[in-house]
Amino acid sequence: MKNYDLIVIGAGRAANLAVKAGKLGKKVAIIEKSKLGGTCPNRGCVPSKLIIGYAHVARAIKESERHFIDSTINNIDINKIFEETNNYVSKIDPRYESRFNENVTVYRGSASFISDKVIEVNDERLSADNILIATGTRPIKPAHEKAWSSDDIFPFKKEIPKSITIVGSGFIACELANFFDAVGIKTKLIARGDKLLSAEDKDISEIFKEEFTKNVDVSFNTTIKDIKHENNEFDLVLENKDGTKVSHKSEALLYATGRVSNADLLNLENTNIKTNERGFIKRNEFFETSVSGVYVTGDASGENMLQHAAAYEVNYLGKILYENEPSPLKFKYMPHAVFSDPEVASVGITEQKAQESGINYVTSTTNWLASAKAMSTRLDYPRTKFIINPNTYEILGCHLIGPESSTMMHQILSVMHIENDIRHLKDMLYIHPALSEAILPAAVQAVIEVEKYNN
């Protein structure tokens, strides 16, 4: 058996801990069954945003008429788009491996627990005082063997389909549907319910639905009742909740209906490590599982299933293990974004959640038209919605929809990080007439609503 100071299972964000420990002279083993870097740069966040860049350009040309510009697209080389994206993905694994020094040993294979502190990989047994589980999640298996999941898109090495049907209504489904439609592939999105992005604030998701469906064909309240695959084509029977059935054909079928824990691949039944009812690994406020010295970060915990959360957790765990940090991590806020068209960014609670919690709150919703830069987009839907604690002026939630929402959100995050008070956004100096200036009237209106509430 080989003994290490640290074993890391999963080489996504957790690779940062292996790098840190290796630099400190610790003997480290890192185990990865797929590509170093994990889901985000290889199959998720990064390549999906690279292709969305092409979608933005295509949309801008197609919608140029609102700027009084008559333009046409002569050709979109989708093969070249994926070739460029695949080329980027191909460099991730070696780039990650180059970060490890001589103290880090990389094991390429699947980890299996033999006991609490003993792991088998490639017929070798490893042990360590500290073990980090960072195995993330995988897409729910598609309903047909010929259908794709999001993992089949990057790297994309198949023949480009002329048509695609995507099942799902969350951010992955909407981002991919937006891309395929924008670059000229006939796209249909199948949504089980009557909403898109149902986890977002209701007002924002309604605006998103209205704008998104101007471009993408969406069948709401619909499920696939039958799937046949013949002659490189899917023959689908779609059923609406009213019982109506229609036939639909497409060359590709992609499921983006959620993700499940990878913990079931670790043989945790051989340990005292506990999982919850959804199969995610339980942990305490110091990221420690029910076994002392075994930790879990990122999506494997099922708590904050976002890349930026995973990176933050891993870095903080490094402080706990190697910098004598005695305090648990407490996130002040957890933002996220949906990089589709429209773009959405959110932080904090939705109004629905505020209502369910029975807390006192006020809301304000404003458009972005006070900003000339926003006006130049010639879009009238962009909105900022604040949810404020009327007793403290604390920002409980902020929800943006419009171009560069993910960038604009950082202005709100800065205030929430330092001293969470909406009045700071009202009183600060803005560059005129920048896009972010649209936050000013939103903050002013939010303060007015608080004062109305208190009077």
Side-chain angles (χ1 to χ4, degrees), residues 78 242 322 415:
I78 305 175
D242 64 7
Y322 304 120
V415 168

Side-chain angles (χ1 to χ4, degrees), residues 34-35 38-52 54 81-90 92 148-158 172 175-176 179-180 254 259:
S34 181
K35 297 289 187 180
T39 297
C40 175
N42 286 294
R43 303 182 299 279
C45 326
V46 176
S48 67
K49 303 312 164 287
L50 294 179
I51 64 171
I52 283 173
Y54 299 106
I81 289 173
F82 278 114
E83 179 185 324
E84 289 290 304
T85 307
N86 292 351
N87 182 51
Y88 173 86
V89 170
S90 70
I92 297 297
W148 301 338
S149 74
S150 57
D151 277 0
D152 295 301
I153 303 299
F154 308 109
F156 192 82
K157 297 181 178 179
K158 305 171 180 62
I172 295 176
E175 287 182 357
L176 291 176
F179 164 74
F180 283 114
L254 186 151
R259 300 181 69 86

Side-chain angles (χ1 to χ4, degrees), residues 64-92:
S64 66
E65 187 176 347
R66 71 168 182 265
H67 294 277
F68 315 116
I69 297 172
D70 183 8
S71 63
T72 57
I73 297 175
N74 295 324
N75 178 57
I76 298 178
D77 191 340
I78 305 175
N79 282 301
K80 187 64 176 178
I81 289 173
F82 278 114
E83 179 185 324
E84 289 290 304
T85 307
N86 292 351
N87 182 51
Y88 173 86
V89 170
S90 70
K91 297 175 181 177
I92 297 297

Side-chain angles (χ1 to χ4, degrees), residues 199 201 346-355 357 359-361 385-388 395-399 416:
D201 185 271
S346 299
V347 66
I349 63 174
T350 62
E351 186 170 3
Q352 303 94 280
K353 183 61 69 175
Q355 290 170 346
S357 302
I359 62 176
N360 292 330
Y361 70 93
K385 180 173 181 177
F386 278 115
I387 301 168
I388 307 296
I395 301 168
L396 300 175
C398 179
H399 309 280
M416 294 177 73

Side-chain angles (χ1 to χ4, degrees), residues 101-382:
N101 67 12
E102 67 280 0
N103 296 319
V104 181
T105 301
V106 178
Y107 289 87
R108 295 178 180 272
S110 297
S112 175
F113 275 87
I114 301 302
S115 62
D116 284 348
K117 291 293 186 70
V118 178
I119 295 165
E120 187 173 80
V121 56
N122 301 335
D123 297 323
E124 289 190 68
R125 292 195 174 185
L126 320 177
S127 181
D129 290 334
N130 290 317
I131 297 173
L132 171 58
I133 302 172
T135 46
T137 60
R138 63 184 184 273
I140 292 174
K141 187 177 180 180
H144 191 280
E145 61 180 8
K146 295 287 188 179
W148 301 338
S149 74
S150 57
D151 277 0
D152 295 301
I153 303 299
F154 308 109
F156 192 82
K157 297 181 178 179
K158 305 171 180 62
E159 185 176 343
I160 303 295
K162 293 184 173 61
S163 57
I164 187 169
T165 300
I166 299 175
V167 183
S169 59
F171 77 94
I172 295 176
C174 290
E175 287 182 357
L176 291 176
N178 172 59
F179 164 74
F180 283 114
D181 179 83
V183 298
I185 294 172
K186 186 178 181 181
T187 303
K188 176 181 277 292
L189 185 65
I190 306 295
R192 179 182 293 273
D194 60 358
K195 297 180 178 65
L196 298 175
L197 305 183
S198 59
E200 301 295 332
D201 185 271
K202 183 172 181 290
D203 291 338
I204 299 299
S205 66
E206 287 179 350
I207 295 171
F208 181 87
K209 176 180 177 179
E210 180 179 355
E211 297 300 321
F212 185 84
T213 54
K214 289 178 181 178
N215 292 316
V216 180
D217 177 20
V218 184
S219 291
F220 291 99
N221 299 308
T222 298
T223 56
I224 299 177
K225 300 305 291 184
D226 188 52
I227 305 174
K228 290 188 175 70
H229 186 264
E230 296 177 340
N231 302 318
N232 295 318
E233 185 177 55
F234 286 94
D235 188 356
L236 309 174
V237 176
L238 309 181
E239 183 177 46
N240 190 273
K241 72 174 184 179
D242 64 7
T244 304
K245 294 181 180 179
V246 296
S247 294
H248 175 70
K249 296 180 184 293
S250 68
E251 290 188 8
L253 175 62
L254 186 151
Y255 280 79
T257 52
R259 300 181 69 86
V260 296
S261 171
N262 280 325
D264 61 333
L265 307 177
L266 296 172
N267 290 331
L268 295 181
E269 62 273 14
N270 296 328
T271 73
N272 291 299
I273 298 170
K274 305 299 182 186
T275 58
N276 64 20
E277 65 281 356
R278 296 187 299 142
F280 291 96
I281 300 172
K282 293 182 178 181
R283 64 183 185 179
N284 65 17
E285 57 189 356
F286 291 95
F287 312 116
E288 196 168 33
T289 70
S290 46
V291 171
S292 177
V294 180
Y295 301 86
V296 60
T297 57
D299 288 12
S301 73
E303 292 181 20
N304 299 301
M305 296 171 66
L306 297 160
Q307 188 277 344
H308 45 275
Y312 208 100
E313 289 178 1
V314 167
N315 290 340
Y316 201 87
L317 179 59
K319 294 180 180 180
I320 292 173
L321 294 180
Y322 304 120
E323 296 180 28
N324 196 31
E325 172 56 62
S327 303
L329 173 64
K330 294 182 180 178
F331 285 110
K332 289 185 178 181
Y333 50 83
M334 185 53 62
H336 69 270
V338 180
F339 297 91
S340 184
D341 188 1
E343 186 169 310
V344 172
S346 299
V347 66
I349 63 174
T350 62
E351 186 170 3
Q352 303 94 280
K353 183 61 69 175
Q355 290 170 346
E356 292 170 8
S357 302
I359 62 176
N360 292 330
Y361 70 93
V362 298
T363 67
S364 70
T365 302
T366 56
N367 63 42
W368 294 8
L369 298 181
S371 162
K373 188 73 181 295
M375 290 174 62
S376 73
T377 67
R378 300 189 63 81
L379 297 170
D380 59 8
Y381 71 80

Side-chain angles (χ1 to χ4, degrees), residues 397-418:
C398 179
H399 309 280
L400 306 176
I401 183 168
E404 300 299 330
S405 285
S406 59
T407 301
M408 291 178 64
M409 179 58 77
H410 284 81
Q411 191 158 327
I412 287 88
L413 299 182
S414 295
V415 168
M416 294 177 73
H417 180 73
I418 298 170

